[in-house]
Amino acid sequence: MNTVIEKLNKLAYVVQHNPNCPSPFLVRLCGHSVPSIDLRPYEETRDILGFGKTLEEAAASALSK
């Protein structure tokens, strides 16, 4: 069975980490019908965002959307 990280590795993604946040990991995936990750601020982005306390949690959140 594929782990969340193995599923993530089949896609284009960006990981951001801020140790000062309650959910320090952010995973960004390409938005629906969008060919690239734009890295814009949260309120402007078309990226799919997933936040979590671990990389696996953030990846699972992004993949579920």
Side-chain angles (χ1 to χ4, degrees), residues 8-54:
L8 190 65
N9 283 335
K10 294 178 182 176
L11 304 170
Y13 68 95
V14 171
V15 175
Q16 294 176 290
H17 180 257
N18 181 346
N20 299 317
C21 289
S23 292
F25 288 92
L26 165 61
V27 172
R28 290 177 178 258
L29 302 175
C30 295
H32 302 289
S33 303
V34 180
S36 63
I37 298 170
D38 61 31
L39 296 175
R40 292 182 182 186
Y42 305 150
E43 57 278 343
E44 297 174 16
T45 191
R46 294 177 65 193
D47 299 342
I48 296 170
L49 305 177
F51 296 89
K53 293 183 180 189
T54 65

Side-chain angles (χ1 to χ4, degrees), residues 1-7 10:
M1 185 170 180
N2 288 340
T3 67
V4 173
I5 300 300
E6 288 172 333
K7 290 177 184 176
K10 294 178 182 176

